[in-house]
Amino acid sequence: MYQSILVPIDGSDQSCEALRVAANLVDPESGSLYALNIQDPPLADDAMGRAAGLLATNADEIVQKEGRAVIEQACERVGLTNKQVQPIVFSGKPAQVILDESRRLGVDAVVMGSRGNSNIKSLVVGSVSYRVMHVASCAVIIVG
Ligand SMILES: Nc1ncnc2c1ncn2[C@@H]1O[C@H](COP(=O)(O)OP(=O)(O)O)[C@@H](O)[C@H]1O
Ligand SMILES: [Mg+2]
């Protein structure tokens, strides 16, 4: 049993399966299960702003709302309630955010999907899981 697990969720089937596995590995009494979604930074909604690479004025709000929706859907799919999972949402580069958060939270393990939402099927594992499994200083469990 693990005391704390971080599950990065991008809404893919594999990430939902990772959440299901993590829920079975974490101590149900005193353990912490963190679900992390990373969003792309939302660009400004006017053409000029987008061309200049500006972010939407309410970028933080959009990121939190969309990220939480992804996490909630994943929880519903695997039959977990809000109380069993602590949602965390950021925008940025997925692998870097996952590594930073795993360190900040001091989790025992990261449990993540082998693949995610992209269509690149030639690689055995996705670039995010590849980077995390090689760089993280905690256990990394990749769910196929
Ligand atoms: N934006 C993201 N937010 C949270 N987790 C992510 C994100 N992108 C990838 N992951 C995690 O990494 C796993 C592997 O995805 P990835 O390496 O991106 O593969 P692919 O290239 O197939 O998308 C996912 O199942 C998920 O656990
Ligand atoms: Mg991906």
Side-chain angles (χ1 to χ4, degrees), residues 66-105:
E66 302 202 343
R68 274 167 189 265
V70 172
I71 293 171
E72 265 170 37
Q73 270 176 28
C75 287
E76 259 172 47
R77 275 178 69 176
V78 305
L80 289 170
T81 65
N82 283 351
K83 282 191 188 145
Q84 292 168 284
V85 173
Q86 301 184 48
I88 305 171
V89 180
F90 282 107
S91 66
K93 296 193 172 137
Q96 197 53 51
V97 174
I98 294 164
L99 289 164
D100 289 347
E101 281 300 287
S102 68
R103 257 179 238 124
R104 185 182 71 85
L105 296 163

Side-chain angles (χ1 to χ4, degrees), residues 1-143:
M1 286 265 129
Y2 289 101
Q3 277 310 313
S4 59
I5 299 182
L6 177 66
V7 188
I9 294 173
D10 60 359
S12 63
D13 291 351
Q14 288 95 331
S15 68
C16 291
E17 196 49 38
L19 183 59
R20 193 192 311 276
V21 169
N24 287 307
L25 292 176
V26 75
D27 187 332
E29 301 296 323
S30 56
S32 303
L33 188 55
Y34 301 99
L36 170 65
N37 175 257
I38 299 112
Q39 296 275 315
D40 287 334
L43 290 179
D45 45 19
D46 62 295
M48 286 274 278
R50 271 201 305 279
L54 295 180
L55 294 187
T57 43
N58 55 343
D60 284 349
E61 206 180 304
I62 297 171
V63 163
Q64 290 303 318
K65 184 166 169 268
E66 302 202 343
R68 274 167 189 265
V70 172
I71 293 171
E72 265 170 37
Q73 270 176 28
C75 287
E76 259 172 47
R77 275 178 69 176
V78 305
L80 289 170
T81 65
N82 283 351
K83 282 191 188 145
Q84 292 168 284
V85 173
Q86 301 184 48
I88 305 171
V89 180
F90 282 107
S91 66
K93 296 193 172 137
Q96 197 53 51
V97 174
I98 294 164
L99 289 164
D100 289 347
E101 281 300 287
S102 68
R103 257 179 238 124
R104 185 182 71 85
L105 296 163
V107 291
D108 302 328
V110 174
V111 180
M112 63 196 298
S114 58
R115 303 305 315 257
N117 277 326
S118 88
N119 290 321
I120 311 159
K121 299 285 175 231
S122 57
L123 302 170
V124 178
V125 295
S127 61
V128 175
S129 32
Y130 184 84
R131 173 122 198 268
V132 172
M133 69 195 266
H134 283 97
V135 179
S137 45
C138 62
V140 178
I141 298 171
I142 306 282
V143 177

